[in-house]
Amino acid sequence: MGSTRRTGRIRSRAAAMAVCVAALAAVTAVPAQAHEPERRVPHWELKDTGAPETRFRGLAAVSRTTAWVAGTGGTVLRTTDAGATWRNVSPPGAGELQFRDVEAFDARRAVVLAIGEGEASRVYRTDDGGATWTESFRNTDPKAFYDCLAFFDHRHGLAMSDPVDGRFRILSTGDGGRTWKVLPDGGMPAAQEGEAGFAASGQCLVTSGPKDVWLATGGAARARVLHSADRGHTWTATDTPLPAGDPARGVFALAFRDRAHGLAVGGDFRPDQPSPNAAARTSDGGRTWRPAAAAPPAYRSGVAWLPHSRAAALAVGPTGTDLTTDAGRTWRTVDTGSYDTVDCTRDHGCWAAGEKGRVARLEH
């Protein structure tokens, strides 16, 4: 009986998301006629965070009601009532830090990453909803600069740094972020001249399943995606068709709905520069990448698959949100608000966050 109920819930959620995707696609497909009844269209609904000076590039969506955001000024906020209210749960003494990534396991347990050179790169963990924090890692290598972190499950996770001595550096935890160790770099391909990660959305390092992880790069002659199938011990590198050849260009974010099907978005983050081919897709785990036939019209820094969908995803950036309903082959703009990152949960909780304290939830 329990299995039957779960199956029914999954099917109903999938049906609800299909309706949401269809409605989103209809926003830009056909103009509404004057005689048509008013339809409720899925849209981003801004939530008042009370932090207009903060830019939130870190986002962890736990459910439709619970989410964490992390950003400038060492700020971490948490909501458990769908964004109606936000609690400032920032780690004490972190005001000078720049949080760019947060990974949350539930409403009480979360790990945040501060970025920067040397000791500015740090990791904090909380087990009580942010009432107290423990600093579990502080970088002591002046050549390292950590950009993103990601978890396979509640225990195993990785963080990545820009190249040190010619190779990307990987930090590993097996106890939920309480302790960390640097992995040997013998299985890491050599970095290109100028190659690095972008700490733009907390999505330059992503996982799928118990062992697969992908790392996005830019700033060099070729924009690449690196893949590991053994939790970061050995890696392969693949070129992508995204813009490259400049420190401001590359792959900024990745999303995988399983170990085979993934999306990459990015471009040139400078507002006065065009970003053609700002999205690509893979169906073989990142061994090959194909450009979108109709890409987002500008640089995009965040991307997420919509839950219970094999073909729909959202990409966000400072100039808008784009939707794909064909697994990344084509994209169309559905919103022009500014967001840096996006994350979705299995109970249809899609959230976005960005500059000027902006956090929104997809309402449908």
Side-chain angles (χ1 to χ4, degrees):
M1 181 64 73
S3 176
T4 301
R5 287 175 178 170
R6 282 195 298 272
T7 301
R9 284 196 299 268
I10 291 172
R11 286 174 177 168
S12 64
R13 289 171 181 170
M17 183 51 66
V19 172
C20 176
V21 170
L24 271 170
V27 172
T28 55
V30 180
Q33 301 299 315
H35 63 275
E36 287 186 355
E38 183 178 349
R39 295 178 296 173
R40 181 167 176 80
V41 175
H43 62 284
W44 288 123
E45 183 176 285
L46 283 169
K47 309 295 182 177
D48 184 6
T49 61
E53 304 302 317
T54 305
R55 186 164 196 167
F56 293 115
R57 294 185 184 270
L59 167 65
V62 176
S63 68
R64 279 188 57 80
T65 58
T66 300
W68 300 67
V69 289
T72 54
T75 304
V76 180
L77 305 183
R78 183 194 63 153
T79 182
T80 56
D81 57 10
T85 61
W86 294 84
R87 180 182 175 190
N88 188 328
V89 295
S90 306
E96 299 300 317
L97 300 179
Q98 304 292 314
F99 289 129
R100 295 293 181 92
D101 202 355
V102 54
E103 301 292 327
F105 308 119
D106 50 40
R108 297 184 61 79
R109 298 175 295 164
V111 179
V112 295
L113 171 72
I115 62 111
E117 297 178 350
E119 293 191 5
S121 283
R122 305 179 195 180
V123 177
Y124 294 82
R125 178 186 165 103
T126 181
D127 289 295
D128 54 15
T132 62
W133 293 86
T134 300
E135 181 184 307
S136 59
F137 172 76
R138 182 180 298 206
N139 174 51
T140 57
D141 189 332
K143 296 178 290 185
F145 185 116
Y146 286 84
D147 299 292
C148 292
L149 56 82
F151 278 83
F152 302 94
D153 51 45
H154 288 187
R155 294 176 55 204
H156 301 91
L158 302 176
M160 57 82 68
S161 163
D162 291 341
V164 176
D165 298 327
R167 299 177 190 273
F168 284 94
R169 174 167 289 182
I170 302 298
L171 199 63
S172 175
T173 180
D175 56 12
R178 294 177 178 87
T179 61
W180 298 84
K181 64 178 181 180
V182 175
L183 294 182
D185 66 1
M188 176 67 71
Q192 303 174 84
E193 180 69 26
E195 192 172 25
F198 290 110
S201 60
Q203 296 178 319
C204 59
L205 186 73
V206 301
T207 64
S208 180
K211 294 184 177 181
D212 285 278
V213 56
W214 295 263
L215 186 160
T217 84
R222 302 182 306 279
R224 303 195 298 175
V225 172
L226 280 62
H227 171 237
S228 170
D230 57 10
R231 289 186 182 162
H233 291 277
T234 60
W235 298 78
T236 56
T238 303
D239 294 349
T240 74
L242 270 71
D246 187 276
R249 299 174 186 161
V251 182
F252 282 71
L254 299 167
F256 276 78
R257 65 172 173 81
D258 53 41
R259 66 189 310 263
H261 299 88
L263 302 169
V265 300
D268 190 319
F269 70 74
R270 294 171 295 189
D272 61 339
Q273 296 296 314
S275 288
N277 300 322
R281 58 191 173 92
T282 181
S283 57
D284 56 14
R287 287 189 291 273
T288 59
W289 291 87
R290 288 167 287 177
Y299 154 72
R300 295 293 182 252
S301 55
V303 62
W305 290 93
L306 290 175
H308 310 293
S309 174
R310 297 176 61 85
L314 294 170
V316 300
T319 62
T321 298
D322 303 292
L323 170 73
T324 179
T325 56
D326 53 16
R329 293 173 178 84
T330 60
W331 297 83
R332 67 178 71 175
T333 301
V334 294
D335 184 89
T336 56
S338 175
Y339 299 103
D340 292 314
T341 186
V342 59
D343 193 18
C344 295
T345 65
R346 293 190 62 79
D347 67 344
H348 307 302
C350 283
W351 298 78
E355 63 180 348
K356 298 179 181 178
R358 288 169 60 89
V359 178
R361 193 182 73 163
L362 190 66
E363 303 294 339
H364 50 80

